[in-house]
Amino acid sequence: MEQQHRGQWGSNLGFLMATIGAAVGLGNIWSFPFRMGANGGFPFLIIYLVLAVLVGFTIMLCELAIGRHGGGSVLVSYQKINRISGGFLGILALVSPFLILSFYTVLGAYCVQYVGLNFAELLGIFNVSSVSGAESFSTMLTNQPLAIGSTFVVIAACFLIIRGGIKDGIEKFNKVGMPALFVMLVIVIIRSVTLPGAIDGLKFMFAPNFEPIKNDFIGVLAAAGGQMFFSLSLAMGITVTYGSYLSKKESLVRNSMVIIVSDTIVAIMAGMAVLPAAFALAGEDAKLSGPSLLFVTLQDVFNAMGAFGPIFGILFFLFVVLAAITSTIALIEVLVTFVIDRRTAAGKAPNRNAVVGIVCLIIFAEAALVAADGLGSNGLWVPFQSSGLDLGTCWLEFMDFISEGVAMPLGALLMSLWIGWIVGPEVIRDEVSQGGHKMSDGLYSFFIICVRFITPLAMAMILFGQIKTFLSPV
Ligand code: PFF
C-alpha cells in the first residue's frame, strides 16, 4: 500500500547523494586520516575495507531492506517485522540521533564561525592572521552567546532544507551540496599536497607500518571497526529512514556498495587535504585529530599561507560545514519522519512544516546546553562527574559516550543477532529481491555468515573497544 503523504526520492542518484551526504561528515575529516596514520597506514586501510565489506555492508543492507520493507519511520519499520522486539530496536535507533544532534550541530556551528573568521580576514576587517588558531578556538569556546547563536543558525538552515520534504528539500540540497563539497575538497587537496614538506603528511597517512598491528592487533581492529561504523552512520535510523523512501525498483546491494566506497574515498581524500598541510605548516607537535586539528592546527596553516590563506580557509571550512549539514539533516529527518508517521497513523494531517519546526526547537534546546558548555571551558555541571565514573569531562563527551559509545554499537549488535537468529535472514533476502534484483545463492550464503557470526562478533568487539576508549581518556 503506497502511502501518499510520504513521497519518495525523485531518483536513485538523489537517494545516493543524500545517503552519502549523511555518511560523509566530521568523522571522515578529523578521525579517519589520523586513525589511519596512527594505526599502520596502508595496512589499516585494508583492515578497514575488510570490515566495511563484512560488517558495514551487512548492516547497511539490513537497514536499507528493513526501511524499504517497512515503508515507515525507523520505529514503524522495525515493528513491521516484530512489534515487541522490533519496537525496542526502533526506540534505540531513535535515541542515538537525538543525542548526537546535541553536539553535531554545535560542531557545525564552530565551522560556520571559522568561515566567518576567514572571511573577516579576507576583507581585512580584523588582523585575524595575527591571532593563533589556539586563541581563536578558546575565544570561540568561551563566547557563549556566539556559540548558541551560531548553533541556532545551523539548525535554522537545516529547518529550511528539511521542511521542503524528502524530494524537494533534502534531495535537492544534496544534489547541489555534495558535488560542491567534492569540488571544494579537490581544490584544497591540490593546495595542500603542493606545499613544501607536504610529503611527510602523505607518508604519515599511507606508509605501511606493521608495528601497531603487531603490538595491538585487537586495538587496531577496534579502531578500524569503530571508525567504519560511525563513518557509515550505521544504527542511527538514518539508513532505515532514507531506505523507507526508496523505490522498490532500485538495487539495495549496489546502493550499499556505492555508499560504502564513496564514503571511504572521501575519507582518504580528506586525509590528503588535511594531513599534508598540517605537516607542512603547523610544526612538529601540531594536533592531528579531533576539533583541534581543524580549529587550531589548520587555522594556523591558513594564517601562515599569506594572502591566499583566507580564501583556502573559507573554502575548507565551507567544505566542512557542508559535510556537517548533510549529516545533520539526515539525523533530524529520522526524528521528523517518526513524528509525521505517528501523526498520519492517528489520522492527522502530516503538517511537515510545524513538525520540523518543533523538532528543530527541541534540538536547539539540548544543543544550546552543549554550546554553552564550550567543551567544558565554561564550568557547567556535567552528569556523573563526582561519581568516580568518567563518562566524559564535558557535555559533548557525555552525549557522545551514550550514543556513539554505547547505543549505536549495541543497536547494531542486537539488530544483526535479531535478523540472523530471531526473525531470520529471509526478510532481508525477500526485500533485496524486489524489482527483479535476484539475490544470488552465493551472496545470500555470504550474507548469512556475516549477519549471524561475523557482524555480531565484530560489533561486540567494537562495543567493548568504544567503552574502553571512552573510559580511558588519552
Ligand atoms: N558519519 C558521520 C561522520 O563520519 O562524521 C557522522 C554521523 C552522522 C554519524 C550522522 C551518525 C549519523 F547519524
Side-chain angles (χ1 to χ4, degrees):
M1 183 182 57
E2 186 65 2
Q3 293 153 295
Q4 285 308 317
H5 72 274
R6 297 194 90 247
Q8 254 187 8
W9 300 105
S11 65
N12 195 52
L13 181 70
F15 159 77
L16 280 174
M17 287 292 137
T19 316
I20 295 169
V24 170
L26 296 168
N28 297 60
I29 304 164
W30 76 33
S31 335
F32 181 87
F34 177 76
R35 279 200 179 161
M36 179 165 158
N39 288 290
F42 201 71
F44 175 87
L45 182 62
I46 307 286
I47 295 176
Y48 182 92
L49 289 174
V50 170
L51 282 173
V53 170
L54 298 180
V55 181
F57 173 75
T58 307
I59 302 177
M60 184 156 290
L61 192 65
C62 286
E63 290 198 5
L64 278 180
I66 291 169
R68 199 175 67 174
H69 172 257
S73 71
V74 58
L75 184 62
V76 170
S77 296
Y78 274 112
Q79 281 193 322
K80 185 157 177 194
I81 297 177
N82 182 293
R83 227 187 124 62
I84 309 279
S85 52
F88 175 75
L89 287 171
I91 288 173
L92 202 58
L94 280 167
V95 170
S96 302
F98 180 72
L99 294 175
I100 292 225
L101 277 164
S102 72
F103 61 86
Y104 216 77
T105 48
V106 179
L107 295 171
Y110 291 157
C111 300
V112 170
Q113 288 194 42
Y114 268 71
V115 174
L117 190 76
N118 284 280
F119 204 66
E121 168 72 7
L122 183 68
L123 299 180
I125 298 178
F126 311 112
N127 191 7
V128 179
S129 59
S130 62
V131 182
S132 72
E135 278 171 89
S136 303
F137 191 35
S138 90
T139 313
M140 191 177 70
L141 291 177
T142 47
N143 188 336
Q144 292 170 311
L146 193 59
I148 295 175
S150 50
T151 303
F152 183 81
V153 171
V154 167
I155 297 178
C158 294
F159 165 77
L160 293 176
I161 299 164
I162 300 171
R163 68 197 272 273
I166 290 294
K167 180 161 154 248
D168 295 324
I170 297 179
E171 177 169 350
K172 246 190 193 159
F173 180 78
N174 277 288
K175 270 173 107 170
V176 179
M178 289 308 287
L181 175 148
F182 196 77
V183 170
M184 287 190 259
L185 178 57
V186 171
I187 297 174
V188 179
I189 292 178
I190 294 172
R191 172 68 286 205
S192 180
V193 297
T194 49
L195 289 166
I199 190 76
D200 290 336
L202 293 176
K203 272 194 202 144
F204 170 76
M205 186 167 165
F206 291 100
N209 169 15
F210 289 93
E211 282 310 304
I213 295 174
K214 271 194 234 149
N215 295 341
D216 181 14
F217 182 62
I218 297 292
V220 173
L221 268 187
Q227 175 65 32
M228 177 275 300
F229 182 69
F230 185 72
S231 193
L232 293 176
S233 301
L234 300 173
M236 299 293 293
I238 289 183
T239 319
V240 177
T241 304
Y242 276 10
S244 76
Y245 294 105
L246 187 63
S247 150
K248 296 275 186 199
K249 289 200 312 268
E250 308 301 345
S251 161
L252 300 185
V253 172
R254 204 195 51 213
N255 278 337
S256 303
M257 291 191 305
V258 172
I259 297 162
I260 293 172
V261 170
S262 310
D263 182 65
T264 312
I265 290 176
V266 175
I268 295 173
M269 289 175 70
M272 293 168 65
V274 296
L275 291 182
F279 273 77
L281 290 173
E284 280 292 279
D285 32 43
K287 291 267 190 309
L288 297 175
S289 72
S292 313
L293 167 70
L294 303 195
F295 304 131
V296 177
T297 307
L298 287 176
Q299 186 54 40
D300 282 339
V301 169
F302 300 127
N303 285 347
M305 262 184 191
F308 286 105
I311 297 184
F312 285 107
I314 293 171
L315 270 179
F316 177 75
F317 284 110
L318 269 181
F319 153 71
V320 188
V321 166
L322 266 180
I325 288 209
T326 48
S327 296
T328 307
I329 55 182
L331 289 163
I332 299 180
E333 182 57 38
V334 174
L335 305 174
V336 167
T337 295
F338 165 69
V339 179
I340 291 185
D341 281 2
R342 279 191 86 85
R343 286 179 59 83
T344 45
K348 296 186 190 147
N351 212 346
R352 178 172 262 271
N353 250 326
V355 171
V356 179
I358 292 169
V359 168
C360 285
L361 278 178
I362 297 174
I363 291 161
F364 176 61
E366 57 164 356
L369 176 70
V370 176
D373 185 37
L375 296 182
S377 306
N378 303 316
L380 256 63
W381 171 85
V382 180
F384 299 105
Q385 277 295 283
S386 48
S387 68
L389 271 178
D390 182 16
L391 302 187
T393 52
C394 59
W395 273 97
L396 186 151
E397 283 183 13
F398 177 68
M399 298 294 206
D400 196 23
F401 173 71
I402 307 178
S403 50
E404 199 195 338
V406 182
M408 290 168 66
L410 183 67
L413 168 64
L414 295 178
M415 190 272 279
S416 56
L417 289 172
W418 186 64
I419 293 289
W421 298 100
I422 299 177
V423 298
E426 313 79 45
V427 188
I428 306 298
R429 186 197 50 199
D430 293 349
E431 186 57 39
V432 168
S433 313
Q434 297 277 338
H437 300 281
K438 274 268 146 287
M439 193 173 189
S440 70
D441 290 346
L443 182 61
Y444 187 48
S445 312
F446 169 78
F447 173 73
I448 292 180
I449 296 173
C450 289
V451 81
R452 286 201 169 146
F453 303 103
I454 301 177
T455 302
L457 202 74
M459 286 319 306
M461 190 189 73
I462 292 169
L463 177 63
F464 177 74
Q466 291 289 77
I467 294 179
K468 204 171 124 203
T469 330
F470 271 90
L471 293 186
S472 52
V474 267

